[in-house]
Amino acid sequence: MCRVCGGTVHEFFDFGRQPLSDAFLDPQGVEHEFFFRLAVGICESCTMTQLIDEVARDRMFHEAYPYHSSGSVRMRRHFEDTAQRLLDTHLTGPDPFIVEVGCNDGVMLKTVSKAGVRHLGVEPSGGVAELARAQGVRVRVDFFEESVAADIVARDGTADVIYAANTMCHIPYIGSIFRGVDALLAPDGVLVFEDPYLGDILQRNTFDQIYDEHFFFFTVRSVQNAAARFGFELVDVERLPVHGGELRYTIARAGRREPTPVVAEMVADERNRGLAAPSDFADFAASVNRIRDDLMNLLRGLRAEGKRVVGYGATAKSATVTNFCGIGPDLVSFVCDATPAKNGRLMPGSHIPVRSPEALADPYPDYAVLFAWNHAEEIMEKERAFREAGGRWILYVPEVHVV
């Protein structure tokens, strides 16, 4: 049943048995690892694409949650620019107030804090919330929902902006979210959020964007439908060149703002393209299976030739790839990642060891699978010596290729 409208959801791909994507394991504690069925479908009524099975939020977002939004130079700049833009546009009145849902380590709100603007981050993962506090960000450790929004209003008043980055798509109970937004948002305020775009996932074959934490996969039409269901209106859409293709949506109370022309243009474009039609999903499924087969054939061939292969980027996305394809330490000996909390642990499900980026040069391997392909330019520049030593990168989106 659709988590937005209650309609019928038709499954179009099953990735099989998958672990929690960010549950990196102690080598001595693998026996109690949690798995679930990762399958995705589309609602025949409101067109929202979503996971079939839901993982309890406490399993995914907790004190030891390892992902840091500020881990990439590019993303730090992105969030600094986003904060400045919000300050220049929607936070210009007397004593403005912004709430960020899922503020992580405070990478966006620290710019707001430095500007002296009232703010609050709502973040369920205590570890990253402490990092945000250390940067001067005011944080409430909690899951955002209707009751939390009501409490914020009682303490701080209404918000001029409610912002979320790569968070709205994580939340299956979207009705409670919109009711919370309704309670918290000022009459002329805006909800601004950015998330992966289904159109780009289907077009670029970025199937690894599908994992436990990503419950919804938005299109302009599905967001427009969801907003209208709860008394809101989609008033602007913007393309973002991050994380393999995202859209930033701006939502206001119905009738309070004039939608920009780009909203109607993108809805028309999605209809003209037949986005999310059955043929789209059939083509996507065929592409995903082909990528799996091509990648496994390449890795097995390199092993047969005696080549040494490692991975780069112990991302949440990599859990989908390694477990769906069946990639283990026999094919990829370890994965490099700069997040200290992941080092010395094992990748979810595949149990590939995670080591620091310095391990790449100890000694350099013949090949490296770039799981963090959304940061390819930054990583390849940082690891130029790997290429200069004769190493080659393996990428698998939009197709398997070696550079």
Side-chain angles (χ1 to χ4, degrees):
M1 183 176 72
C2 176
R3 291 302 301 268
V4 177
C5 74
T8 301
V9 176
H10 296 285
E11 182 179 316
F12 63 82
F13 200 84
D14 184 353
F15 288 92
R17 185 172 178 263
Q18 289 278 340
L20 300 177
S21 60
D22 269 315
F24 292 84
L25 305 168
D26 184 315
Q28 307 305 316
V30 301
E31 64 275 8
H32 300 301
E33 188 171 13
F34 175 83
F35 289 89
F36 75 108
R37 187 177 80 100
L38 179 63
V40 63
I42 184 169
C43 176
E44 67 178 16
S45 300
C46 73
T47 75
M48 183 67 78
T49 299
Q50 57 204 276
L51 297 188
I52 302 298
D53 297 320
E54 176 186 343
V55 176
R57 63 187 188 179
D58 295 332
R59 282 189 176 275
M60 297 183 289
F61 308 110
H62 45 73
E63 185 74 22
Y65 184 62
Y67 178 74
H68 295 175
S69 297
S70 61
S72 157
V73 172
R74 183 183 185 192
M75 293 311 297
R76 287 198 296 273
R77 290 174 182 159
H78 169 74
F79 287 121
E80 288 167 3
D81 292 345
T82 297
Q84 193 58 56
R85 180 170 172 181
L86 292 173
L87 288 167
D88 292 341
T89 54
H90 301 300
L91 296 170
T92 58
D95 193 27
F97 179 45
I98 179 173
V99 173
E100 180 174 7
V101 179
C103 70
N104 198 265
D105 58 10
V107 64
M108 192 283 288
L109 282 180
K110 70 177 183 179
T111 299
V112 175
S113 176
K114 289 177 181 177
V117 170
R118 278 199 309 134
H119 64 277
L120 179 67
V122 182
E123 171 56 56
S125 304
V128 291
E130 282 303 315
L131 295 176
R133 287 194 181 110
Q135 300 194 76
V137 173
R138 181 170 165 247
V139 185
R140 173 174 177 153
V141 179
D142 219 333
F143 287 97
F144 184 87
E145 54 195 340
E146 186 177 5
S147 60
V148 171
D151 190 56
I152 295 171
V153 173
R155 294 168 182 264
D156 295 286
T158 57
D160 300 283
V161 176
I162 301 173
Y163 173 78
N166 307 299
T167 299
M168 291 290 283
C169 70
H170 291 192
I171 307 174
Y173 46 96
I174 200 164
S176 181
I177 297 301
F178 271 109
R179 288 189 294 272
V181 171
D182 188 33
L184 178 56
L185 196 65
D188 289 318
V190 289
L191 165 65
V192 180
F193 65 93
E194 53 196 69
D195 280 298
Y197 178 46
L198 179 65
D200 290 330
I201 292 172
L202 297 179
Q203 183 178 7
R204 302 175 183 175
N205 298 328
T206 56
F207 67 94
D208 54 353
Q209 294 272 31
I210 302 171
Y211 53 90
D212 57 337
E213 295 174 12
H214 286 177
F215 189 85
F216 290 117
F217 303 90
F218 298 131
T219 64
V220 178
R221 281 186 297 159
S222 66
V223 169
Q224 188 178 56
N225 290 339
R229 180 170 293 275
F230 296 98
F232 292 91
E233 186 174 12
L234 179 62
V235 297
D236 196 18
V237 185
E238 178 184 359
R239 282 193 171 274
L240 301 175
V242 297
H243 290 310
E246 294 197 338
L247 292 186
R248 176 181 289 154
Y249 306 92
T250 300
I251 289 174
R253 297 184 187 280
R256 301 297 297 216
R257 291 174 182 249
E258 185 70 24
T260 63
V262 72
V263 175
E265 291 168 4
M266 290 204 68
V267 168
D269 178 65
E270 289 182 352
R271 291 189 186 282
N272 292 337
R273 289 166 53 193
L275 179 61
S279 59
D280 260 2
F281 294 124
D283 291 344
F284 175 73
S287 295
V288 172
N289 286 324
R290 182 177 64 252
I291 290 170
R292 176 197 57 195
D293 295 344
D294 290 348
L295 182 57
M296 290 302 288
N297 288 337
L298 173 61
L299 293 176
R300 287 169 178 153
L302 292 174
R303 180 181 60 184
E305 295 172 10
K307 302 298 184 182
R308 184 164 166 264
V309 181
V310 305
Y312 204 106
T315 60
K317 298 190 297 294
S318 64
T320 297
V321 180
T322 54
N323 288 277
F324 174 64
C325 295
I327 299 170
D330 58 325
L331 294 174
V332 174
S333 54
F334 62 86
V335 176
C336 295
D337 195 278
T339 307
K342 298 178 182 179
N343 291 170
R345 292 187 167 259
L346 303 179
M347 295 271 288
S350 65
H351 300 171
I352 301 171
V354 182
R355 299 174 63 183
S356 71
E358 288 73 26
L360 184 68
D362 189 26
Y364 282 120
D366 300 296
Y367 294 85
V369 182
L370 188 51
F371 292 118
W373 49 261
N374 50 315
H375 301 300
E377 185 176 344
E378 182 178 332
I379 290 171
M380 289 182 180
E381 175 61 25
K382 175 186 174 185
E383 303 293 356
R384 279 182 299 170
F386 168 58
R387 288 294 305 275
E388 293 168 355
R392 303 186 70 185
W393 296 101
I394 297 172
L395 294 100
Y396 51 86
V397 293
E399 300 288 347
V400 175
H401 59 290
V402 179
V403 297

